[in-house]
Amino acid sequence: MSGPPPTAMPTPPTIVIESLTASAGRARGAVVIIDVFRAFTTAAVALANGAEAIVMVDDLDTALALRDRGVGRICIGERRGVKPEGFDFGNSPHEIRDLSFAGDVLIQTTSNGTKGVLAARAATRVYAASLANAAATVRAILDDGEAEVWLIAAGDDAARTEEDEICALYMRALLQGRSPIGTSFARRWPRSVRGWTDRPCRRRT
């Protein structure tokens, strides 16, 4: 008597890796904007510390105006790595790591990461990722059954950055069910950050 037929393995999604935020505009399907240093590591920490949501905007005046209107209570971000005037916090996960944002909505704007999220207009779903939440993001993508995934390594303006490129390769390996080549790199990531891996950051639809 033969046993049950083997269960078919799910088909891995088609994966495209691109560099720099400018490529987000032509991305399709599920789009992952990767900004390790430091936009989406900061976002992962804020969510882990209780933030209800993060509103991402492309300019400083919009961020401050939304806070004034009560859309969010806290402005976080940077320009050229410096906290903008009038903002509550800069773009540093270390700066906010011990703070509680329980129930808060944060407003975030950065030089690269948040601009990539806003540029991905043709995406069916947008995820904001770093090494801090890479595994959680991959699980969410697979659970959602995405057929096409674009991994965009945001970089620094017009320059590619090693950490974003490594994170993209790491996530591609996880999406394909392979042992990630970036595992040794990820293990060197600070333990306090590696603990914030259970909540993906994705745009609401």
Side-chain angles (χ1 to χ4, degrees):
M1 186 173 179
S2 62
T7 302
M9 295 295 291
T11 302
T14 300
I15 301 169
V16 178
I17 294 182
E18 290 282 352
S19 300
L20 307 180
T21 55
S23 62
R26 62 177 181 272
R28 301 291 186 271
V31 178
V32 184
I33 308 299
I34 299 169
D35 191 336
V36 175
F37 294 160
R38 290 176 277 178
F40 299 144
T41 301
T42 302
V45 173
L47 291 171
N49 288 2
E52 179 181 331
I54 299 175
V55 177
M56 297 183 183
V57 300
D58 59 0
D59 65 81
L60 304 179
D61 289 341
T62 299
L64 294 172
L66 289 176
R67 186 183 62 185
D68 290 343
R69 286 165 44 195
V71 173
R73 192 175 71 87
I74 296 168
C75 285
I76 60 174
E78 56 76 33
R79 286 297 183 269
R80 298 184 181 274
V82 177
K83 181 180 77 171
E85 183 177 354
F87 273 50
D88 300 285
F89 300 101
N91 191 39
S92 169
H94 179 76
E95 184 181 7
I96 65 171
R97 61 179 296 173
D98 296 323
L99 300 178
S100 172
F101 296 114
D104 284 331
V105 174
L106 278 59
I107 304 164
Q108 184 183 34
T109 181
T110 66
S111 299
N112 297 287
T114 59
K115 290 183 178 180
V117 167
L118 295 167
R121 295 184 179 88
T124 57
R125 195 179 297 257
V126 182
Y127 302 81
S130 69
L131 285 166
N133 67 345
T137 302
V138 167
R139 288 195 299 270
I141 291 169
L142 295 176
D143 287 346
D144 290 337
E146 306 287 4
E148 181 178 3
V149 179
W150 286 57
L151 302 172
I152 309 292
D156 184 7
D157 293 329
R160 296 167 63 180
T161 56
E162 182 181 37
E163 68 276 2
D164 293 347
E165 301 290 332
I166 287 174
C167 188
L169 295 174
Y170 176 74
M171 294 182 70
R172 180 177 67 180
L174 293 178
L175 285 165
Q176 294 174 335
R178 298 186 291 109
S179 176
I181 62 173
T183 297
S184 61
F185 182 90
R187 285 175 179 165
R188 294 199 297 270
W189 200 245
R191 181 176 301 175
S192 59
V193 174
R194 289 206 311 272
W196 293 312
T197 59
D198 61 347
R199 185 173 176 184
C201 182
R202 56 187 163 193
R203 187 172 65 190
R204 291 179 176 174
T205 55

